[in-house]
Amino acid sequence: MESSLHNPAQPNDVSKNELGNLRVLLAEDNEINQFLINTILESWNFTVDTVENGLLALEHLSQHTYDVVLMDIQMPEMGGYETITRIRASDTSISSIPIIALTAHTPGETAKCLSVGADAYLSKPFEPEDLYKLLQLHVKRTT
């Protein structure tokens, strides 16, 4: 992901405006990752709210409307697995929001992310183009 600092992520094979101005909730506790991911998303003209844990993510989801959640798996207070499970179990409109899990790659991680309800999974560090492609696949735009 370091290369994104020098060229913050113009997707190679797609128009960066194809998704419009997405509203993204980023749940990530690491400040460096927050900075890098926010830099990428803001370069695409997305609006980003960043929280440090799952409890704050649930609070933001109850107060604001988002197009997608980027969810770190290992966070203090409430981690990504529990947060995703609670979002999916909700009897509100947030239960169907697209969630892309962000985590370090370890054996079994992909299956576990998907089994708790994440729509997709991306290993950190990641290439910005890979994130953009996942957003294209999972975010439904109604323009």
Side-chain angles (χ1 to χ4, degrees):
M1 209 158 117
E2 289 178 21
S3 64
S4 66
L5 281 175
H6 303 292
N7 180 8
Q10 298 307 318
N12 290 335
D13 58 348
V14 294
S15 165
K16 76 172 191 167
N17 295 322
E18 182 177 317
L19 290 170
N21 183 19
L22 294 184
R23 185 166 169 98
V24 179
L25 177 60
L26 171 63
E28 168 66 64
D29 64 314
N30 181 287
E31 290 182 13
I32 294 170
N33 288 340
Q34 288 175 358
F35 172 78
L36 292 172
I37 295 168
N38 272 288
T39 300
I40 292 166
L41 297 173
E42 289 170 2
S43 78
W44 295 331
N45 296 317
F46 296 169
T47 302
V48 185
D49 289 339
T50 303
V51 296
E52 297 79 30
N53 63 60
L55 289 174
L56 292 172
L58 292 173
E59 182 179 312
H60 273 68
L61 284 166
S62 71
Q63 297 171 356
H64 307 282
T65 302
Y66 296 97
D67 296 302
V68 63
V69 177
L70 302 181
M71 181 75 63
D72 183 28
I73 293 302
Q74 298 202 353
M75 296 180 288
E77 304 294 323
M78 181 186 295
Y81 292 128
E82 184 177 351
T83 307
I84 294 169
T85 300
R86 288 187 183 198
I87 291 169
R88 294 300 184 230
S90 171
D91 60 357
T92 67
S93 62
I94 69 165
S95 67
S96 61
I97 191 167
I99 301 171
I100 298 174
L102 305 174
T103 186
H105 182 66
T106 58
E109 203 75 45
T110 303
K112 188 169 181 182
C113 289
L114 299 176
S115 73
V116 299
D119 294 285
Y121 151 58
L122 194 57
S123 292
K124 295 186 284 186
F126 58 84
E127 292 298 324
E129 296 81 13
D130 294 334
L131 174 59
Y132 196 87
K133 288 175 185 175
L134 285 177
L135 292 170
Q136 285 182 298
L137 287 172
H138 295 285
V139 176
K140 309 292 187 264
R141 295 300 296 169
T142 54
T143 53

